[in-house]
Amino acid sequence: MAGKRGDHEYVPVHDIVDGKELRTFLEERKLKVENLPKIFSTDPQAVKLGAKEGQVIRVKRNDHSNEYLYYRLVIK
Amino acid sequence: MNEKKREAISEFDVHSGEPVGIIAAQSIGEPGTQMILRTFHYAGIEATIATSGLPRIVELVDARKRPATPITYVYLDSEARKSLEKAESVAKRINEVRMNGLVRRAIENFSKGTVKLILDMQAAEAVELTAAQIAQKLAKATGYEASVEGGSILIRLHTNNMKEIRSASVRLMKKVIQGIEGAGKAIIQQDKSGTFYIIAAGSNVSEIIKLDGVDKSRLYTNDVFAMYNLFGIEAARNTLVNELKKTLKEQKINVDERHLAVVADAMTYAGDIKGIGRHGLSGQKISVFAKAAYEETVKHLVNAATFGEIDHMRGVTENILVGKQIPLGTGSVKLAIKRSGSKKVESEKKQDKPQ
């Protein structure tokens, strides 16, 4: 469950995604940005990245030996 | 992974429209009936026994702000984990020592305005404190005048008001003299490989992480909200999965981790931790009928009528209610007949966009 470069065993790697990656992700699944799971801009990991409202944070999750990406929309 | 393997696995992927939430609920619920319904407390065992079984599951799923038995696992850095001496010094800085654990009797003298605290020297020795040190720390923490008299501490309050003296003495007894407030009793443990770590019966991780000698990357508590506040929503989600898994495993119940992940993802979807129930997830349902079908039927219907709400009938509950096919599995697909040149169909299509 550990993130490879994360600061903590239980915190997977977070980073802010750029527009292109996000657009293809959303188009493939016919989603709107508002449909994504949320993360508060006051969340410790969002603060660390300096993420602002409306940006999307990509989480490199690693559960049960299965790596995948999870996206969260930054909200206030 | 090679292509063939990937293709073989992809046949077992969850399909679009699969009701994973309901499957998760059933998969946890059915074996859950075998769980113990009450936690037992044993007298005389020093280490705290964590809540287990059904009460713990309920606590997690309801997203209670504080667990009944918070426990923090403090792992130590490469230096401290090998030496008992260093581990003890870290444990000493964590171990919460309150005044009421050190005092045998408190005598309030209302005419002189003093409180005499008769110390339990054995308890004080156990945490390596002398009477003079306690008096000094107490004076520093409260601002009162404190002096040592043999095995007791005399506190002068310079007032004759009974109420003030009483409340001051109550406050004195609650003061944390050593360690971290809210960290609880800290016990040193040793694992099979001889590495030392500390278990604390509290969940003040935001203070514990500031200490030297603590491995900041492995600090863990079973208090989901403490993990959320310190490390964020993703850590809270992982803690939830881990705690659910641990609790079920204790009871020798095998539930696939992915069911637990669905529950944890649903609870953390909105960026904070929401319980499953009226005030959490179910309370957020958009459909008026779904809300009315659950609880407080009249209140929801009256409110909806008053404010002219619209129900798009996209959920399961409301469609069962009116006898329509539910939008899950094969029901999640909609069909439209395309008659060339028909503008009506076109406009309907726009309205019926899935989700």
Side-chain angles (χ1 to χ4, degrees):
Chain A
M1 214 175 269
K4 265 178 205 151
R5 289 182 290 115
D7 293 338
H8 191 273
E9 248 194 314
Y10 280 73
V11 183
V13 179
H14 289 56
D15 37 19
I16 298 168
V17 281
D18 58 350
K20 199 186 161 197
E21 184 191 331
L22 184 66
R23 239 174 287 129
T24 44
F25 175 85
L26 293 174
E27 269 165 28
E28 268 175 22
R29 288 161 182 79
K30 296 199 173 77
L31 287 173
K32 288 178 202 150
V33 219
E34 307 93 76
N35 297 132
L36 290 177
K38 314 291 187 297
I39 184 167
F40 282 101
S41 56
T42 51
D43 191 279
Q45 303 306 321
V47 170
K48 213 178 265 181
L49 289 172
K52 286 184 191 73
E53 194 186 351
Q55 282 182 311
V56 172
I57 289 177
R58 177 182 56 205
V59 183
K60 282 183 185 140
R61 277 194 183 171
N62 193 356
D63 301 357
H64 29 262
S65 63
N66 181 20
E67 278 181 32
Y68 62 96
L69 298 174
Y70 198 79
Y71 295 85
R72 282 186 186 273
L73 173 68
V74 182
I75 55 166
K76 251 193 180 149
Chain B
M1 215 182 319
N2 62 42
E3 267 312 299
K4 258 194 179 160
K5 256 192 202 165
R6 187 161 267 299
E7 216 181 290
I9 290 170
S10 74
E11 287 196 22
F12 296 93
D13 277 353
V14 175
H15 294 287
S16 175
E18 191 99 9
V20 284
I22 289 166
I23 293 169
Q26 291 176 341
S27 305
I28 299 166
E30 193 275 330
T33 56
Q34 299 160 32
M35 252 181 322
I36 52 164
L37 302 177
R38 244 179 68 97
T39 37
F40 301 102
H41 298 281
Y42 306 94
I45 299 174
E46 202 172 327
T48 44
I49 299 157
T51 322
S52 61
L54 196 66
R56 178 65 180 145
I57 299 281
V58 169
E59 196 174 83
L60 287 167
V61 162
D62 277 356
R64 301 261 166 85
K65 276 272 144 54
R66 249 186 90 84
T69 50
I71 291 174
T72 306
Y73 295 85
V74 185
Y75 297 95
L76 303 166
D77 64 12
S78 52
E79 233 176 273
R81 74 169 76 124
K82 292 286 171 223
S83 115
L84 181 61
E85 224 172 276
K86 277 177 183 151
E88 269 172 349
S89 101
V90 178
K92 193 183 159 190
R93 275 179 286 150
I94 293 170
N95 193 19
E96 182 183 7
V97 180
R98 277 175 194 274
M99 224 28 224
N100 54 14
L102 299 173
V103 173
R104 205 160 1 160
R105 219 153 86 83
I107 304 162
E108 291 148 9
N109 189 329
F110 294 118
S111 62
K112 285 184 192 160
T114 58
V115 180
K116 193 177 183 186
L117 304 167
I118 299 169
L119 294 174
D120 183 347
M121 288 319 287
Q122 261 181 325
E125 247 169 65
V127 290
E128 294 166 36
L129 283 171
T130 63
Q133 280 174 315
I134 296 171
Q136 197 190 355
K137 286 187 180 186
L138 205 57
K140 205 177 158 194
T142 58
Y144 296 134
E145 209 176 295
S147 56
V148 185
E149 278 181 9
S152 57
I153 293 170
L154 192 72
I155 305 217
R156 287 187 186 81
L157 298 166
H158 302 294
T159 173
N160 282 325
N161 188 329
M162 269 173 82
K163 211 175 157 189
E164 263 178 55
I165 293 166
R166 175 34 70 86
S167 71
S169 101
V170 170
R171 235 180 306 127
L172 279 171
M173 294 300 270
K174 280 187 187 157
K175 265 280 170 302
V176 175
I177 284 301
Q178 189 173 273
I180 293 166
E181 194 168 357
K185 198 177 166 66
I187 301 157
I188 299 177
Q189 305 271 318
Q190 194 173 20
D191 67 7
K192 280 170 203 153
S193 65
T195 315
F196 293 105
Y197 63 100
I198 297 163
I199 291 181
S203 64
N204 194 350
V205 278
S206 50
E207 286 297 321
I208 292 173
I209 203 164
K210 290 177 191 163
L211 293 178
D212 289 330
V214 172
D215 184 351
K216 291 175 175 58
S217 69
R218 288 180 72 200
L219 185 65
Y220 178 75
T221 172
N222 66 353
D223 184 342
V224 180
F225 277 88
M227 289 293 273
Y228 170 60
N229 290 329
L230 186 57
F231 299 118
I233 192 68
E234 281 293 317
R237 180 256 183 201
N238 287 336
T239 308
L240 260 174
V241 174
N242 192 46
E243 285 298 317
L244 286 169
K245 197 169 78 180
K246 206 170 75 186
T247 311
L248 292 169
K249 209 177 162 190
E250 265 170 20
Q251 306 281 314
K252 298 194 173 63
I253 291 165
N254 286 315
V255 174
D256 195 295
E257 198 182 320
R258 283 167 288 185
H259 293 310
L260 308 176
V262 167
V263 172
D265 278 339
M267 286 172 71
T268 55
Y269 175 86
D272 55 356
I273 309 155
K274 289 220 158 60
I276 294 171
R278 191 176 359 170
H279 303 292
L281 283 175
S282 311
Q284 289 186 310
K285 280 181 182 161
I286 326 127
S287 165
V288 181
F289 286 134
K291 278 190 283 187
Y294 185 58
E295 261 174 0
E296 300 171 301
T297 310
V298 178
K299 188 185 127 189
H300 286 301
L301 290 178
V302 168
N303 274 344
T306 316
F307 297 106
E309 281 182 39
I310 295 163
D311 198 319
H312 294 281
M313 308 296 287
R314 280 174 188 150
V316 176
T317 317
E318 54 267 37
N319 280 298
I320 290 176
L321 194 87
V322 298
K324 267 189 5 177
Q325 191 176 38
I326 58 166
L328 280 178
T330 47
S332 56
V333 184
K334 280 180 183 162
L335 293 177
I337 303 161
K338 191 180 179 187
R339 272 180 253 145
S340 47
S342 169
K343 272 178 190 162
K344 202 183 161 205
V345 175
E346 278 298 310
S347 68
E348 262 179 20
K349 233 186 189 172
K350 256 175 213 161
Q351 272 178 10
D352 284 353
K353 252 191 209 163
Q355 306 268 302

